[in-house]
């Protein structure tokens, strides 16, 4: 889906709402839900290990963050649409026994993810998946994710790791 989004400009003037309030409310709701889910899953022992590893300040920021680690009070700019789509799909799937097109397009989940899926569906993208999309979640061999963003950062990280590995072999 992300390749399709990059190759096709999916936005048109018809897609933009004059009332942007829905976006802020949706973002706020998604952030609050992610924060509650994260806090309910982390035990006091996990919280201590998190603080030991990240420091108290960063552990608190992580625990208070919203979707995709973005500060939960940031509602002015929507980022990581893919995370909103994933959040929507997970929440509507958990509320119903079976995910159907109607459930995905109109079910209660993440309003921003739902809007993105509605736009994609309107453009003719199959939002129900295909024969191989499950492999990403399953971790099957043969499926490999290739990042499209931050190529320079990814390249420098690979180079740095290669240099470290080479240095370790020399010792």
């Amino acid at each position: 889906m992300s390749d399709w989004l990059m190759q096709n400009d999916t936005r048109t003037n018809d897609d933009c709402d004059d009332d942007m309030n829905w976006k802020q409310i949706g973002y706020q709701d998604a952030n609050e839900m992610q924060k509650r889910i994260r806090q309910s899953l982390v035990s006091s022992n996990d919280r201590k290990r998190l603080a030991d590893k990240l420091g108290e300040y960063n552990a608190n920021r992580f625990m208070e963050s919203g979707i995709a680690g973005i500060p939960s009070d940031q509602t002015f700019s929507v980022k990581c649409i893919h995370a909103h789509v994933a959040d929507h799909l997970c929440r509507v799937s958990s509320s119903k026994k079976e995910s159907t097109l109607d459930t995905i397009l109109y079910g209660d989940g993440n309003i921003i993810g739902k809007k993105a899926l509605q736009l994609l569906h309107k453009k003719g993208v199959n939002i129900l998946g295909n024969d191989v999309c499950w492999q990403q979640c399953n971790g099957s061999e043969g499926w490999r994710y290739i990042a499209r963003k931050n190529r320079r950062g990814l390249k420098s990280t690979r180079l740095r790791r290669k240099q470290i590995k080479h240095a370790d072999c020399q010792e």
Side-chain angles (χ1 to χ4, degrees):
M1 188 184 302
S2 61
D3 286 342
W4 189 91
L5 285 169
M6 289 175 61
Q7 294 170 3
N8 299 279
D9 184 5
T10 59
R11 295 165 291 164
T12 67
N13 289 336
D14 295 339
D15 297 335
C16 299
D17 289 339
D18 290 333
D19 178 19
M20 296 306 276
N21 194 37
W22 71 267
K23 192 178 2 175
Q24 282 189 310
I25 291 169
Y27 204 36
Q28 191 172 16
D29 288 348
N31 282 338
E32 191 57 40
M33 177 61 81
Q34 289 297 314
K35 183 169 87 171
R36 283 198 314 253
I37 290 169
R38 184 178 297 112
Q39 290 175 348
S40 72
L41 293 174
V42 174
S43 69
S44 57
N45 193 28
D46 292 334
R47 178 69 176 81
K48 184 181 178 327
R49 288 195 335 236
L50 190 62
D52 289 345
K53 185 173 184 167
L54 301 176
E56 194 62 37
Y57 176 78
N58 289 327
N60 286 337
R61 285 191 57 129
F62 173 75
M63 292 304 295
E64 292 295 317
S65 67
I67 198 159
I70 296 170
S72 61
D73 60 350
Q74 181 179 325
T75 60
F76 53 86
S77 174
V78 175
K79 296 182 176 17
C80 300
I81 301 298
H82 64 286
H84 287 277
V85 168
D87 179 49
H88 176 70
L89 291 172
C90 289
R91 287 206 261 153
V92 296
S93 295
S94 67
S95 66
K96 305 283 183 198
K97 286 187 178 187
E98 183 180 325
S99 290
T100 64
L101 186 59
D102 283 345
T103 303
I104 290 170
L105 291 175
Y106 306 110
D108 292 330
N110 178 320
I111 194 169
I112 295 167
K114 178 168 62 173
K115 179 73 170 179
L117 287 166
Q118 288 171 346
L119 293 172
L120 290 168
H121 181 67
K122 184 176 167 183
K123 303 286 182 183
V125 175
N126 177 7
I127 61 170
L128 293 176
N130 59 33
D131 293 346
V132 295
C133 68
W134 60 271
Q135 293 175 354
Q136 179 178 4
C137 300
N138 193 23
S140 296
E141 287 187 35
W143 195 95
R144 188 169 155 228
Y145 174 72
I146 300 171
R148 301 281 187 225
K149 290 184 176 180
N150 196 11
R151 287 182 178 264
R152 187 176 59 196
L154 293 170
K155 190 174 183 178
S156 66
T157 298
R158 276 195 305 269
L159 181 62
R160 187 173 58 251
R161 287 180 182 159
K162 197 179 217 181
Q163 289 170 341
I164 290 169
K165 188 176 181 180
H166 182 70
D168 288 345
C169 291
Q170 299 296 322
E171 293 175 359

